Amino acid sequence: MGKSLLRWRRQGKRFGIAVLFVVAGTGLWEFQERQHKDAYTWMGVPTWDGFHPTTFHRVLRNDGFLVGWSDVRVNPLWVSYQVEAVGDDTRIGPRPNFQADWRTLWPIGADSYAGSGYDRGHMAPNYAIAAVHGRSAQVDTFLMSNITPQRPELNRQLWQRLEEAVMDHFAPRFDRLQVITGPIFPERFMDNVFNRVGLVEVPEAFYKIIVAPHSDAPLAVAFIMPQDVRGNEPLDDYLVTIDEIEALTGLNFFPELSAEVEAVLEGELRTQGWALEEVARRPGRFQ
């Protein structure tokens, strides 16, 4: 009985230290926010409309991108980064190894997805971040806090095609792009609470928001892609409004937008200027 009590006390102490670490890390981000948010976000850091355990997150800063990390979902709720056009001859370094992120409350190892049937899906993509932000940023994309379970048909085909379109098609059309991407979970937490790869909750879909942030009239396109795709579907089959993504995630992506600009940018489905039809049916690299 005495040994059991001692063991529980030790575990409680470890958990208390971990929680204290999370609180301290959150405070550190608040201190650093002004310095870094303009380099990684546009019109404010994503936040939640109303407090709820499933939307609460803390911001992890990496080279080239930010992660809105949930210790409840054990997932990034959002990842925010900026890209610009790169040359056709751009070369990046070899793929780094996946690494655990010491900042997460729960241990997620590089082999946590082994045998699950799910790929380790990047939210901040390897190529785009490496090409624009350099080797150190590329290494950070292989932290497990930037990874979430994706079915192979999505990760290697449809999702990869969208990431490729961002860098090869959208970025050359504009000076720079703001991208926010992340998972979508069922509305009721308890409906999905045991659908996990180890400790990591499995999303039912993923979103990507792409903004060309012109000062006078910003443009945006947004997508939601479910896990159960074949992989060869046209990209424009998955177009949605930003308002739809906010309704499904409980997040507010651009909190500093004026009400007038927000109503158009987030509430209307507009594809003018993106020439999406040129890449919507283009085959991916792995098809």
Side-chain angles (χ1 to χ4, degrees):
M1 184 68 178
K3 290 182 179 179
S4 177
L5 181 60
L6 181 60
R7 184 169 62 252
W8 278 106
R9 284 179 175 174
R10 287 175 178 171
Q11 290 177 347
K13 184 178 180 180
R14 291 192 190 103
F15 183 75
I17 292 172
V19 170
L20 182 62
F21 171 77
V22 167
V23 172
T26 302
L28 180 61
W29 160 251
E30 295 296 334
F31 177 76
Q32 295 177 327
E33 180 177 359
R34 288 183 178 274
Q35 179 181 356
H36 298 290
K37 72 175 186 178
D38 290 342
Y40 303 127
T41 66
W42 173 77
M43 288 295 161
V45 177
T47 185
W48 52 85
D49 285 330
F51 176 80
H52 191 274
T54 57
T55 55
F56 174 75
H57 57 267
R58 52 197 176 92
V59 180
L60 308 180
R61 182 177 62 84
N62 302 291
D63 280 350
F65 64 100
L66 300 178
V67 174
W69 177 258
S70 168
D71 291 300
V72 175
R73 303 282 194 186
V74 197
N75 262 277
L77 297 188
W78 55 264
V79 170
S80 177
Y81 57 95
Q82 295 185 4
V83 295
E84 57 193 31
V86 297
D88 293 337
D89 59 347
T90 299
R91 298 288 184 268
I92 65 172
R95 284 173 65 91
N97 293 323
F98 289 95
Q99 299 287 338
D101 190 334
W102 58 270
R103 298 169 296 180
T104 61
L105 182 58
W106 308 109
I108 311 158
D111 59 350
S112 294
Y113 290 27
S116 68
Y118 289 93
D119 284 357
R120 292 171 292 195
H122 285 74
M123 293 293 94
N126 169 38
Y127 173 76
I129 297 297
V132 176
H133 299 284
R135 178 63 177 177
S136 177
Q138 180 186 19
V139 170
D140 281 355
T141 68
F142 282 79
L143 291 172
M144 293 303 292
S145 55
N146 181 48
I147 305 301
T148 186
Q150 286 187 325
R151 290 289 186 189
E153 294 78 11
L154 175 62
N155 180 50
R156 305 176 199 180
Q157 297 186 55
L158 190 66
W159 193 254
Q160 183 274 325
R161 288 167 52 208
L162 179 56
E163 290 180 339
E164 194 172 330
V166 169
M167 289 303 294
D168 294 350
H169 179 71
F170 297 145
R173 299 182 67 85
F174 305 98
D175 292 335
R176 66 185 175 101
L177 297 174
Q178 170 67 54
V179 183
I180 303 180
T181 190
I184 294 175
F185 300 94
E187 182 178 0
R188 286 170 48 87
F189 176 68
M190 294 306 297
D191 289 345
N192 202 51
V193 67
F194 297 115
N195 183 19
R196 294 184 180 252
V197 172
L199 296 169
V200 182
E201 187 174 354
V202 177
E204 64 178 5
F206 295 86
Y207 67 86
K208 191 178 294 290
I209 300 167
I210 308 158
V211 178
H214 304 295
S215 58
D216 52 345
L219 302 175
V221 287
F223 303 82
I224 292 178
M225 296 181 171
Q227 291 271 27
D228 60 352
V229 299
R230 297 186 310 276
N232 59 355
E233 298 91 340
L235 297 178
D236 49 12
D237 281 1
Y238 301 96
L239 284 166
V240 296
T241 66
I242 297 173
D243 277 351
E244 290 177 75
I245 299 174
E246 289 185 336
L248 290 170
T249 61
L251 297 171
N252 182 13
F253 294 108
F254 307 111
E256 296 176 10
L257 276 177
S258 68
E260 295 78 9
V261 175
E262 180 181 2
V264 175
L265 191 72
E266 298 189 2
E268 299 182 9
L269 187 59
R270 294 186 173 187
T271 59
Q272 294 89 342
W274 294 92
L276 182 58
E277 66 280 356
E278 296 179 13
V279 292
R281 290 163 176 78
R282 184 178 296 174
R285 186 178 300 125
F286 303 115
Q287 288 181 263

